[in-house]
Amino acid sequence: MRIVFLGPPGAGKGTQAQRLKDYLGIAHLSTGEMLRDAEDTPLGRRAARYMLAGQLVPDDVVVGIVVDRLTGKDCARGCLFDGFPRTVPQAEALDRMLAEREMPLDLVLALEVPEKTLVERLSARGRPDDDCETILERFRQFNSLTQPVLDYYGRRGILRRIDGDAPPDEVFNRVRRAVDEAMASNSP
Ligand code: AP5
């Protein structure tokens, strides 16, 4: 299966993607993690300037690291995209990458959580980009650049909205149900 996890900062994409990865036994591609892991490279240093300002990293950089990662053997069984795509050009690039590999996208899961809860979760975590001002900029970027991606997939009929405002296990039950239903409707 190919599944995209979308949601605002702090919605629980990483938390749920980790669980779903174990459940399905497929690769987990978090562009945020990949960019943080590259911090000692020129690409990582370029990305860090945007990340610390709460802004999206340019599309060409992000698409480049996803293309490289997709060649990994572990992606053959399926992939869970966590925090990618975040712009419509990224979504179009993902469509092209998957079409070349004859791997259709099966499902897009959008985690929905009220902004007040998101701020509480992020402030409690304390990553370098979790200070108040940067969190607000990350929300602004989500609203202006990533919301249109939800509409993009909504029109394709593969978007499922999940209420993420509950304890992690309960949210995962909702995620698993949506995935099981998608798998059942895709099987011949
Ligand atoms: P990224 O690392 O993807 O961060 P984000 O989208 O801002 O999301 P977070 O990691 O903050 O939250 P999450 O939704 O994964 O929630 P999590 O499970 O961690 O991206 C960072 C930066 O990289 C971006 O700002 C951008 O600069 C760049 N970037 C990445 N991808 C990009 C792309 N495609 N294009 C351009 N730029 C890109 O949970 C958050 C906290 O809440 C944790 O402490 C967790 O324990 C807690 N929590 C989770 N679920 C629950 C729950 N149900 N109840 C209570 N607490 C919970």
Side-chain angles (χ1 to χ4, degrees):
M1 278 196 105
R2 263 77 43 193
I3 301 174
V4 165
F5 251 114
L6 288 178
K13 301 181 294 294
T15 303
Q16 297 301 325
Q18 193 56 49
R19 288 163 190 239
L20 193 55
K21 169 196 177 228
D22 295 340
Y23 178 62
L24 294 175
I26 60 179
H28 173 200
L29 278 66
S30 158
T31 42
E33 248 171 53
M34 290 192 266
L35 292 166
R36 281 187 288 277
D37 287 348
E39 65 181 351
D40 292 331
T41 67
L43 179 146
R45 283 190 284 276
R46 182 178 166 212
R49 288 202 296 273
Y50 294 93
M51 294 164 83
L52 289 171
Q55 290 170 355
L56 293 189
V57 173
D59 289 336
D60 60 325
V61 174
V62 179
V63 169
I65 61 168
V66 173
V67 172
D68 285 350
R69 182 66 183 81
L70 267 184
T71 59
K73 256 195 184 160
D74 59 336
C75 291
R77 264 182 62 80
C79 304
L80 194 46
F81 298 96
D82 164 4
F84 177 87
R86 281 191 213 221
T87 64
V88 170
Q90 287 182 21
E92 291 167 345
L94 179 62
D95 281 344
R96 287 193 296 273
M97 287 181 233
L98 294 180
E100 277 167 20
R101 293 166 177 77
E102 297 182 14
M103 293 172 160
L105 192 57
D106 299 288
L107 181 65
V108 177
L109 296 170
L111 287 175
E112 298 183 324
V113 178
E115 201 163 294
K116 184 173 169 288
T117 308
L118 296 173
V119 173
E120 285 166 6
R121 287 184 188 176
L122 295 173
S123 308
R125 180 176 62 182
R127 209 168 66 188
D129 56 346
D130 285 340
D131 68 278
C132 196
E133 207 177 301
T134 313
I135 290 172
L136 291 180
E137 180 58 23
R138 286 160 67 198
F139 287 163
R140 276 193 288 269
Q141 298 267 310
F142 178 81
N143 290 330
S144 63
L145 297 168
T146 311
Q147 281 290 353
V149 179
L150 297 177
D151 302 334
Y152 179 88
Y153 289 127
R155 285 192 293 274
R156 290 252 293 270
I158 54 172
L159 178 72
R160 281 289 303 269
R161 295 178 188 274
I162 309 265
D163 179 0
D165 190 13
D169 286 348
E170 206 170 311
V171 177
F172 185 63
N173 284 337
R174 296 169 189 172
V175 166
R176 194 173 46 193
R177 215 172 303 133
V179 169
D180 289 345
E181 282 169 15
M183 283 201 288
S185 70
N186 285 356
S187 63

